[in-house]
Amino acid sequence: MNSSPSAGAAALLRLDGELNIYRAAELKPQLMQALDSVPQLEIDLSGVTEIDTSGVQLLMLTKRRAQALQRELRLTNHSPAVVEVIELLDLAAYFGDPLIVAA
Amino acid sequence: MNIDQALPTFVSESRELLQEMEQLLLAAAQGRSSPDDVNAIFRAAHTIKGSAGLFGLDDIVAFTHVVEGVLDKVRDGALPLDDALTSLMLACGDHIGLLVDGAAAGQAMADKALREMGEPLLQQLRAHLGESAAQPVALREEGEFSRRAADGHGDTWHLSLRFGRDVLRNGLDPLPFIRYLGTLGKIKAIVTVPDALPATEEMDPESCYLGFEIAFQSASATKADIEAAFEFVLDDCQLRILPPNSRISEYLELIRQGPEQPSRLGEMLVRCGTITQRELDDALQTQAHSEPAQPIGEILLEQGKVEAVVLEAALHKQKQIKDNKALETQSVRVDAQKLDHLINQVGELIIAAASANLAARRLGNAELQECNATLGSLIEGVRDSALQLRMVKIGATFSRFQRVVHDVARELGKDIGLAISGEDTELDKTVVEKIGDPLTHLVRNAMDHGIESPELRAARGKPVRGTVSLHAYHDSGSIVIEVSDDGGGLHRDRILAKGIERGLVEAGKAMTDAEVFALIFEPGFSTAEQVTNLSGRGVGMDVVKRNIAALRGSVDIASQPEVGTTVIVRLPLTLAIINGFQVAVGRSVFVVPLEMVEECVQFSCEAGRDYTNLRGEVLPFIRLRELFHLPGRPGPRENIVVVRHASQKFGIVVDSLLGEAQTVIKPLSKLFGQVEGISGSSILGSGEVALILDVPALITEAHRRVPAASREAVAASI
C-alpha cells in the first residue's frame, strides 16, 4: 500500500494485492488514519487481486466514516476482482463511485 | 481463503448425495421413478459439482459437469432413462465416489490412473450428449449458464442472510456462497445490509458484520437446494428463506425477527422487490390495528424513527439466543472413536462399581450399601444411554443391497427385485459394520442359487420377477435378520445324500429338516460341484456361519421346495455390555446373557439321563462341570438354568445361582478362540474372570446328546 500526498488537502492511496481477511487487521488502521489526515481521499483499487467479505466490509466502513466526518472518499480504478464483488453485492450505489470496467 | 476445514463436510455430504443418487437410479431402473426423482438425481450431481467448485476440485467439477449435462437432457425428456443409461449413471456415480475419496485423501487433482478410468465413461456420456469428445467442457458451461439465466420466469424466493461474527475467522467467506447461489438460479436483487457494522473504533476487521437480503429467482430450485447452497455456513449464519408468494404475514414475521429495525428491514424488502411499499404499509397497519398488544405494534412505532441503535441491539441479542436454542436440538456428528472410548470407560465404570459393591457388602455398612445401590442404578442408566448412542438403524445397510441386487441380477440374466422391511430396527454400529459381508454373501447366494431361471419360474406358475427380501426385527435381546427368496427351495434329499457322502452324517440317522439344512454351513460342503443348488462362489456358507458366530450370533435355515428359502440370522444387539446372569460351578463363575434365561429350577433327574421332566416337557440339559471338566464334586443342591434361544429350550446344570449382574464383554484371546461353548469373558467385581457361555453352541451340544426320539418329543411340546 502506498500513500502519496498530492495537492496538500487530497491524498491518493493505492491498495495492492489481496484485500481479504489475512490483511484486514493490518489495513483497517491504515485506512482510518489516511482518512483522518486529509479531507479528500482517493483509493486506487487497480492493484487489488482478490477481495472478500472482510475487504468489502472495510471499504464500507471507510465510506461510512468518511460520510460521518464529512470527508470526500473516492474509490477509483476498480480492478476486475473488485468490480465483480461490487456487482455481486449490488454495492455500486453505496459507494457512489463510477465503475469503469476495463475492456 | 482457508476452506480446507470444511473439506470433511464436503466429503461426507458428497458421499450422502451419491448414495441418494444411487438409490434413486435404482428405483428408476425398477420403473418406479417420477420426474421428481430425475430432478433429485440431477440436483445431487449439481450440488456435488457446485461444492467441488468451492474447493477447487477441478477433476470432480469437470467430470460431474458432463454427467450433469446428460442428466439435464433426461430431465428435459430429450433422453430416456433406460437400463443402459441407468447402469452408466451408476458407474459414473461410483467414479465420482472415487474422485471424492481422492479429495478426502488430500489430492486436489486426481491421479493419472483415475483419470484414465473416467475417460471411457466420459466418452459414453458424450455419446449421449451427441457431441464430439473434443469439445471443451468450458464451452458447454457457458451454454448452461445462459440457458439458466434465460429461464428467468421462475418463482421468486426471498432469502434473508445474517452471517455470524466469526464466520471469517472460521475460514469461510460468504461471497462464494452467494456466487454459488447465482448458479442455482438468478439473483434478481440483493441488498447488502451494513447496519450491524459497529462504530469505527469497535469494529473488528476480522469479524463479519454484513447481512444480505436477496430476491432469488429460480424455476427449479427447492427450499432444500437453497439451504444446501449455504450448508457449510449454516452453523455460522442465520438463514431465513421465504418461499415464493408467501403470505404478507410471513414477511412481517421476517421483519419482526430480523436484527435490524423493522422499518429498515421492511424498506429493504421493498428495495429487493419482494413486496411493494403499498403492501408493506397496508400490512403493517392492519397488523397494528388487529393486534395492538403484539410486538408487531412496535413496527409502526418505530417507523417514524430514524435510528434506534439500542432497540436494534436488543432485538439482535434476543434473536441470537432464540437461534442458539434452535441449533441445540439438531443432531451432532461425533467421531465413532470417541463413542467407543466412552463405552470402554462405561465398561470400566461398571467393573469398578461391582467391586465397590462387593467391598460395601463385606463391610456390612448399610449406608454405604444403599449409596452403592443408588449408584448402581445410575450407572445402569448411563450404560444404556451410552450404548444407545452407538445404535444405528439397519436401513442404511439394507438399502446398499439395492445396488448389489441390481448388479447381480444383470450379471445372472435374471429379473430380481429386492424387498426391504424393518429398516428402522436398531443395532450396535460395530455389529452393523461386521454384518455387511455375510449378508452380501447370503443375498448373492439367494439370487444365484435360490431364484430359478425366468423360464423355470414361468413353468412353475410363479411371477417371472423373483424377489429377495431382507427383513429385520428385534427378538428377546437380539436382532433377527431374515434373508429370504421365493425361489426353488433346498433339496433336502440331495443335501442329505451329499452329507452322507462327505461323512458329515451317518446314513439312516433320523434328522429334522433344520438339521439337514444346517449341513450346508459345514466346512467343505458348499465348495463342491453343483450337486445342490447352493454352492457358493468361492467363499462357502461355512465362512458366513463363522463370521456370524464371531459376532456371538447364529444362523438357521427354513426352506420349502418350490416356495423359497429363508436364512435367519440372529445377532446380539450389542457387543459391549449386556445384562448377565451369573452362575457358579465349584469356584468358577459363568455368565449367561439374561435375555436368554427363562427360569431357574431345582435340579432333579434320574441317574444317567441327560434330560429332565420340566412340567411334563422333556428338557435336555448340559452339566457344565462335565462339559468343561471342572474339578470337585457337585453339591447337594444343584440348579438348572432354563435357557431359550431361537424357540428352543434347554437346561444348564450348575452348582449355585449368583444372580443378575451387568457384564462387560471382553474378547477372548486367540488362544481360546476355538473353545466351544464360550463366547467371551468378563471381569467380576472381585477382579476374577468369568466366562460368558455361548448359548447357541451349547444348545446344539445339548440336543446332540439327547436321543432323537425324546428330542422330537421336546420339539413337539415346545
Side-chain angles (χ1 to χ4, degrees):
Chain A
M1 190 173 78
N2 309 306
S3 80
S4 55
S6 63
L12 177 70
L13 190 77
R14 217 183 114 80
L15 290 179
D16 283 323
E18 297 171 346
L19 197 54
N20 58 17
I21 181 76
Y22 300 115
R23 291 186 61 207
E26 155 206 349
L27 287 174
K28 185 194 162 197
Q30 295 184 25
L31 281 167
M32 294 307 135
Q33 204 187 351
L35 191 64
D36 287 350
S37 56
V38 286
Q40 236 186 31
L41 178 68
E42 180 180 334
I43 302 179
D44 183 340
L45 297 169
S46 60
V48 176
T49 54
E50 194 194 317
I51 179 165
D52 71 354
T53 307
S54 65
V56 174
Q57 199 170 258
L58 210 51
L59 291 179
M60 290 175 84
L61 181 80
T62 316
K63 181 73 186 175
R64 195 184 68 182
R65 184 158 171 82
Q67 281 166 341
L69 297 174
Q70 299 198 321
R71 304 268 160 96
E72 192 186 326
L73 172 74
R74 282 192 298 137
L75 307 180
T76 54
N77 292 329
H78 304 74
S79 70
V82 179
V83 171
E84 193 263 337
V85 167
I86 286 186
E87 283 185 343
L88 179 70
L89 301 182
D90 194 16
L91 284 170
Y94 183 91
F95 292 111
D97 300 298
L99 285 178
I100 298 155
V101 185
Chain B
M1 193 90 267
N2 180 16
I3 203 162
D4 292 349
Q5 287 164 1
L7 192 63
T9 318
F10 163 73
V11 171
S12 65
E13 186 205 56
S14 299
R15 286 191 185 134
E16 277 166 26
L17 283 167
L18 286 171
Q19 211 170 5
E20 187 191 322
M21 202 167 128
E22 184 178 296
Q23 279 169 18
L24 290 167
L25 282 168
L26 288 166
Q30 292 169 8
R32 291 192 273 112
S33 80
S34 64
D36 279 353
D37 289 347
V38 177
N39 266 333
I41 296 170
F42 175 83
R43 279 200 305 272
H46 185 74
T47 310
I48 292 171
K49 183 183 102 171
S51 319
L54 280 177
F55 292 93
L57 300 166
D58 295 338
D59 279 302
I60 301 182
V61 176
F63 185 82
T64 317
H65 179 76
V66 185
V67 174
E68 197 191 329
V70 174
L71 285 170
D72 195 27
K73 279 196 146 186
V74 173
R75 200 169 58 154
D76 293 345
L79 210 63
L81 189 57
D82 56 13
D83 223 28
L85 187 57
T86 309
S87 298
L88 174 62
M89 281 297 155
L90 284 171
C92 288
D94 291 347
H95 187 69
I96 297 174
L98 289 175
L99 291 170
V100 169
D101 288 345
Q107 301 167 267
M109 302 302 267
D111 55 30
K112 199 162 158 268
L114 208 53
R115 272 190 208 177
E116 278 166 9
M117 276 172 66
E119 204 44 53
L121 292 172
L122 281 175
Q123 273 169 11
Q124 289 184 55
L125 287 171
R126 284 183 183 133
H128 281 292
L129 282 173
E131 290 164 6
S132 68
Q135 187 169 6
V137 170
L139 269 180
R140 282 199 305 281
E141 182 93 41
E142 269 175 23
E144 185 200 30
F145 279 111
S146 57
R147 187 187 61 74
R148 285 180 171 277
D151 64 17
H153 49 73
D155 298 324
T156 303
W157 297 71
H158 187 85
L159 274 66
S160 182
L161 272 167
R162 295 292 179 277
F163 286 94
R165 293 282 178 269
D166 288 330
V167 62
L168 295 170
R169 265 187 288 267
N170 290 345
L172 292 168
D173 182 11
L175 296 185
F177 294 98
I178 297 174
R179 277 190 201 110
Y180 173 68
L181 184 71
T183 66
L184 290 181
K186 189 179 171 220
I187 296 177
K188 254 179 81 187
I190 185 168
V191 176
T192 304
V193 186
D195 296 38
L197 212 55
T200 312
E201 294 73 26
E202 288 158 24
M203 188 263 193
D204 177 351
E206 292 180 353
S207 290
C208 181
Y209 300 97
L210 297 185
F212 304 94
E213 296 291 327
I214 300 169
F216 173 68
Q217 199 175 50
S218 165
S220 59
T222 64
K223 187 170 181 184
D225 292 339
I226 298 175
E227 239 168 36
F230 293 96
E231 179 158 353
F232 300 127
V233 276
L234 274 186
D235 290 345
D236 268 329
C237 90
Q238 303 166 17
L239 168 66
R240 284 189 301 274
I241 303 172
L242 288 187
N245 308 320
S246 291
R247 287 196 308 278
I248 284 294
S249 59
E250 284 168 29
Y251 291 113
L252 275 177
E253 179 68 16
L254 174 75
I255 293 175
R256 193 169 64 82
Q257 287 187 353
E260 288 82 20
Q261 250 190 78
S263 59
R264 174 90 175 96
L265 236 165
E267 192 186 300
M268 283 185 292
L269 287 178
V270 174
R271 263 179 66 193
C272 272
T274 304
I275 54 175
T276 66
Q277 182 68 47
R278 205 187 136 75
E279 279 172 333
L280 176 68
D281 292 348
D282 285 356
L284 290 179
Q285 257 153 29
T286 359
Q287 280 282 337
H289 284 309
S290 57
E291 293 168 276
Q294 292 299 306
I296 287 279
E298 290 170 27
I299 295 175
L300 264 190
L301 207 73
E302 298 303 325
Q303 248 182 341
K305 296 186 185 174
V306 184
E307 285 285 325
V309 184
V310 183
L311 179 75
E312 184 186 322
L315 275 173
H316 194 174
K317 217 174 213 170
Q318 253 179 355
K319 172 69 186 146
Q320 267 187 339
I321 292 166
K322 234 196 274 174
D323 274 14
N324 286 345
K325 268 189 189 153
L327 277 178
E328 273 166 11
T329 58
Q330 288 170 1
S331 58
V332 183
R333 270 172 199 248
V334 182
D335 197 343
Q337 270 190 344
K338 286 185 188 167
L339 279 185
D340 294 347
H341 188 60
L342 173 70
I343 285 167
N344 280 341
Q345 281 181 319
V346 170
E348 296 300 322
L349 184 65
I350 288 169
I351 294 169
S355 65
N357 204 6
L358 206 68
R361 231 184 294 168
R362 205 176 299 137
L363 285 175
N365 184 330
E367 201 184 336
L368 189 56
Q369 283 185 26
E370 200 170 309
C371 291
N372 264 319
T374 320
L375 209 55
S377 63
L378 285 173
I379 289 172
E380 208 165 309
V382 170
R383 173 201 68 175
D384 288 344
S385 321
L387 286 177
Q388 193 61 42
L389 288 179
R390 221 166 48 171
M391 289 298 202
V392 292
K393 291 184 175 160
I394 200 163
T397 312
F398 274 5
S399 46
R400 257 189 19 216
F401 285 103
Q402 292 283 12
R403 179 68 187 272
V404 175
V405 171
H406 176 264
D407 289 357
V408 176
R410 291 173 61 85
E411 224 172 89
L412 296 171
K414 293 180 186 172
D415 185 8
I416 302 175
L418 178 70
I420 289 175
S421 57
E423 54 266 64
D424 283 343
T425 316
E426 288 187 322
L427 77 165
D428 197 301
K429 191 174 170 299
T430 47
V431 183
V432 166
E433 283 164 0
K434 290 177 182 154
I435 194 64
D437 285 349
L439 275 189
T440 311
H441 190 79
L442 289 174
V443 169
R444 290 184 73 110
N445 237 334
M447 294 177 69
D448 195 358
H449 308 297
I451 308 266
E452 313 95 322
S453 64
E455 300 80 44
L456 188 55
R457 287 185 71 88
R460 283 179 174 169
K462 291 186 190 179
V464 174
R465 185 187 186 84
T467 306
V468 172
S469 37
L470 286 169
H471 178 49
Y473 57 93
H474 281 156
D475 178 39
S476 63
S478 43
I479 180 170
V480 182
I481 303 170
E482 294 182 354
V483 182
S484 4
D485 62 67
D486 62 350
L490 298 178
H491 294 269
R492 185 196 147 102
D493 298 342
R494 280 157 108 180
I495 295 171
L496 192 57
K498 184 84 188 160
I500 293 167
E501 183 196 319
R502 294 253 150 183
L504 294 167
V505 279
E506 292 165 36
K509 193 180 171 200
M511 290 179 84
T512 63
D513 283 356
E515 280 168 333
V516 175
F517 297 149
L519 287 176
I520 63 169
F521 291 115
E522 293 296 326
F525 192 91
S526 55
T527 49
E529 67 276 51
Q530 295 242 338
V531 169
T532 73
N533 59 351
L534 264 153
S535 55
R537 9 178 96 235
V539 195
M541 291 287 266
D542 59 316
V543 178
V544 172
K545 179 161 189 177
R546 210 182 317 137
N547 284 347
I548 290 168
L551 297 170
R552 296 192 301 117
S554 64
V555 206
D556 294 292
I557 293 192
S559 176
Q560 260 183 294
E562 298 196 16
V563 175
T565 306
T566 303
V567 180
I568 303 145
V569 178
R570 268 166 200 279
L571 292 166
L573 281 182
T574 168
L575 300 177
I577 304 165
I578 55 167
N579 266 323
F581 187 75
Q582 293 181 355
V583 296
V585 179
R587 299 182 53 173
S588 312
V589 180
F590 296 92
V591 179
V592 187
L594 190 66
E595 293 93 2
M596 296 181 178
V597 176
E598 285 255 302
E599 59 182 319
C600 300
V601 292
Q602 202 181 339
F603 175 74
S604 64
C605 132
E606 289 172 45
R609 296 234 176 113
D610 276 340
Y611 56 90
T612 186
N613 179 345
L614 179 71
R615 292 186 295 274
E617 289 175 21
V618 178
L619 182 78
F621 60 71
I622 274 187
R623 291 183 176 88
L624 277 193
R625 187 183 299 279
E626 282 176 20
L627 184 70
F628 295 126
H629 307 291
L630 297 169
R633 293 198 55 78
R637 281 171 62 91
E638 285 180 289
N639 289 282
I640 300 180
V641 181
V642 182
V643 175
R644 182 190 198 91
H645 175 73
S647 77
Q648 283 184 306
K649 271 197 220 176
F650 82 108
I652 301 172
V653 180
V654 299
D655 285 0
S656 54
L657 309 171
L658 300 179
E660 188 189 330
Q662 297 182 69
T663 307
V664 183
I665 301 175
K666 302 274 177 191
L668 284 170
S669 75
K670 275 218 174 87
L671 192 60
F672 299 101
Q674 297 302 315
V675 179
E676 291 252 331
I678 299 292
S679 66
S681 64
S682 179
I683 298 168
L684 299 176
S686 58
E688 288 173 56
V689 173
L691 295 173
I692 300 168
L693 296 178
D694 181 358
V695 174
L698 290 181
I699 266 198
T700 323
E701 174 71 13
H703 284 250
R704 197 178 57 76
R705 292 179 172 213
V706 180
S710 54
R711 187 173 58 242
E712 295 296 334
V714 174
S717 59
I718 287 174

